[in-house]
């Protein structure tokens, strides 16, 4: 997924790319570090300077030591680790145009024209906004003369290319097989559900398992099939819960609901067994 700062869509050959920055934002997901490692090492192999932006968009707005050069060794030994070595944080300032102008200013100061954003829906929406507003903010920064020799820098940096990589355990992106983090999330759910089933069988109780997913039922659906759940409720399929006939099957009745699905069901709507 790529965003461009103007309609001409500047897509340079890889040999023309000089500097690339990587930023992780939003909730962390397994595979972010592997993605950082892959991008960094491929870029270095092609002679591109790679910079890590720490603490998400917050670090891009702060600049300074929050934007640091990454070497081959910086990304060694991280491929198996969860989370993100670059860190991630919420950033209220980015919702304001002034904050986004600071972000563009720091990109200009570091002469970075290529920005890779790894994150979910909110992160990629912010990345798209940054690309769309690039020309406007450059003009404002030039008028304010807030950067020494800004005229020379802006004449060479006439566009901003933003690459968005979807990192979301919800798997809520169309036209791709699986988003970063989904496979690991499924493994965790299945492990937990298998353990819960033994307790449910021992005590002859009904257990309700609520999983992540927001408005996407992929995690719930796949884990329900794998763990032999007896009932499944997902946002994509509307079910009148009052008409569901509860039958004990091996004393291991399990419901899987994406988080948020319960909000549409009152506590009194859930049948007691």
């Amino acid at each position: 997924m790529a965003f461009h700062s103007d309609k001409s869509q500047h897509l340079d050959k890889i040999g023309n790319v000089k500097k690339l920055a990587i930023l992780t934002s939003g909730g962390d997901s397994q595979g972010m570090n592997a993605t950082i490692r892959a991008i960094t090492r491929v870029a270095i192999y092609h002679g591109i300077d790679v910079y890590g932006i720490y603490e998400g968009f917050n670090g891009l707005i702060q600049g300074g030591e929050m934007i640091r050069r990454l070497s081959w060794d910086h990304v060694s030994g991280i491929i198996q680790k969860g989370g993100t070595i670059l860190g991630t944080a919420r950033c209220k300032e980015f919702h304001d145009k002034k904050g986004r102008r600071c972000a563009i200013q720091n990109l200009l100061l570091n002469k970075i024209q290529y920005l890779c954003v790894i994150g979910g829906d909110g992160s990629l929406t912010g990345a798209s906004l940054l690309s769309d507003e690039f020309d406007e903010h450059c003009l404002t920064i030039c008028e304010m003369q807030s950067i020494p020799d800004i005229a020379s820098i802006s004449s060479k940096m006439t566009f901003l290319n933003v690459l968005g990589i979807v990192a979301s355990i919800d798997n809520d992106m169309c036209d791709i097989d699986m988003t970063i983090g989904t496979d690991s999330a499924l493994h965790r759910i299945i492990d937990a559900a298998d353990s819960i089933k033994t307790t449910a069988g021992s005590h002859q109780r009904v257990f309700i398992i609520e999983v992540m997913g927001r408005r996407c039922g992929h995690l719930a659906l796949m884990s329900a099939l794998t763990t032999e759940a007896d009932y499944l409720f997902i946002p994509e399929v509307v079910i009148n819960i009052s008409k569901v006939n509860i039958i004990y099957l091996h004393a291991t009745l399990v419901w899987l609901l994406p988080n948020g699905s319960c909000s549409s069901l009152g506590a009194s709507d859930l049948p007691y067994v």
Side-chain angles (χ1 to χ4, degrees), residues 89-154:
R90 294 188 181 277
C91 184
K92 290 183 179 179
E93 292 85 351
F94 195 79
H95 293 280
D96 185 68
K97 254 191 173 182
K98 186 178 179 181
R100 295 194 294 274
R101 188 183 308 135
C102 289
I104 294 294
Q105 182 169 304
N106 285 319
L107 289 173
L108 291 171
L109 278 168
N110 289 278
K111 299 177 182 177
I112 296 170
Q113 274 185 289
Y114 296 83
L115 177 65
C116 178
V117 177
I118 307 169
D121 182 42
S123 304
L124 299 186
T125 299
S128 178
L129 193 59
L130 203 63
S131 178
D132 291 340
E133 296 178 352
F134 180 77
D135 293 338
E136 177 188 344
H137 290 310
C138 281
L139 186 61
T140 304
I141 292 167
C142 285
E143 291 173 350
M144 294 171 61
Q145 293 290 315
S146 53
I147 300 177
D149 199 27
I150 180 60
S152 175
I153 295 173
S154 60

Side-chain angles (χ1 to χ4, degrees), residues 2-271:
F3 310 107
H4 312 279
S5 57
D6 63 13
K7 301 300 181 183
S8 61
Q9 298 190 351
H10 299 275
L11 287 173
D12 286 354
K13 293 180 180 178
I14 198 163
N16 296 330
V17 180
K18 303 301 180 186
K19 291 184 178 182
L20 168 72
I22 306 172
L23 176 154
T24 54
S25 179
D28 64 311
S29 60
Q30 183 75 26
M32 275 186 167
N33 281 329
T35 307
I36 293 168
R37 177 184 180 273
I39 295 169
T40 300
R41 291 197 165 181
V42 169
I44 290 173
Y45 175 79
H46 287 283
I48 300 168
D49 293 339
V50 184
Y51 290 80
I53 300 174
Y54 289 79
E55 306 303 327
F57 287 111
N58 196 36
L60 185 56
I61 290 173
Q62 289 184 35
E65 287 299 310
M66 302 298 281
I67 302 175
R68 297 176 230 163
R69 180 91 172 265
L70 295 179
S71 68
W72 190 277
D73 291 338
H74 277 133
V75 294
S76 294
I78 68 169
I79 195 169
Q80 79 285 1
K81 293 181 180 179
T84 161
I85 62 166
L86 296 179
T88 179
R90 294 188 181 277
C91 184
K92 290 183 179 179
E93 292 85 351
F94 195 79
H95 293 280
D96 185 68
K97 254 191 173 182
K98 186 178 179 181
R100 295 194 294 274
R101 188 183 308 135
C102 289
I104 294 294
Q105 182 169 304
N106 285 319
L107 289 173
L108 291 171
L109 278 168
N110 289 278
K111 299 177 182 177
I112 296 170
Q113 274 185 289
Y114 296 83
L115 177 65
C116 178
V117 177
I118 307 169
D121 182 42
S123 304
L124 299 186
T125 299
S128 178
L129 193 59
L130 203 63
S131 178
D132 291 340
E133 296 178 352
F134 180 77
D135 293 338
E136 177 188 344
H137 290 310
C138 281
L139 186 61
T140 304
I141 292 167
C142 285
E143 291 173 350
M144 294 171 61
Q145 293 290 315
S146 53
I147 300 177
D149 199 27
I150 180 60
S152 175
I153 295 173
S154 60
S155 65
K156 295 176 182 176
M157 292 185 59
T158 56
F159 64 93
L160 174 67
N161 270 342
V162 179
L163 172 67
I165 299 180
V166 185
S168 168
I169 66 169
D170 301 336
N171 201 33
D172 51 357
M173 181 69 186
C174 65
D175 296 330
I176 60 176
D177 293 328
M178 192 173 285
T179 56
I180 294 170
T182 302
D183 185 66
S184 296
L186 282 172
H187 276 80
R188 300 294 182 272
I189 294 169
I190 291 166
D191 285 344
D194 284 342
S195 298
I196 289 170
K197 282 171 66 178
T198 59
T199 300
S202 299
H203 295 274
Q204 297 185 357
R205 295 288 184 90
V206 175
F207 276 65
I208 300 173
I209 300 178
E210 182 180 3
V211 302
M212 299 287 282
R214 202 164 50 169
R215 294 182 297 273
C216 179
H218 177 83
L219 287 179
L221 176 61
M222 294 298 106
S223 51
L225 290 171
T226 308
T227 59
E228 298 179 309
D230 293 300
Y231 285 90
L232 165 70
F233 295 91
I234 55 176
E236 291 88 343
V237 181
V238 179
I239 297 175
N240 187 345
I241 198 167
S242 64
K243 294 182 180 179
V244 175
N245 185 24
I246 303 297
I247 302 174
Y248 250 113
L249 296 176
H250 314 299
T252 57
L253 178 64
V254 179
W255 298 8
L256 292 166
L257 304 95
N259 62 327
S261 294
C262 288
S263 61
S264 61
L265 305 174
S268 59
D269 294 328
L270 295 173

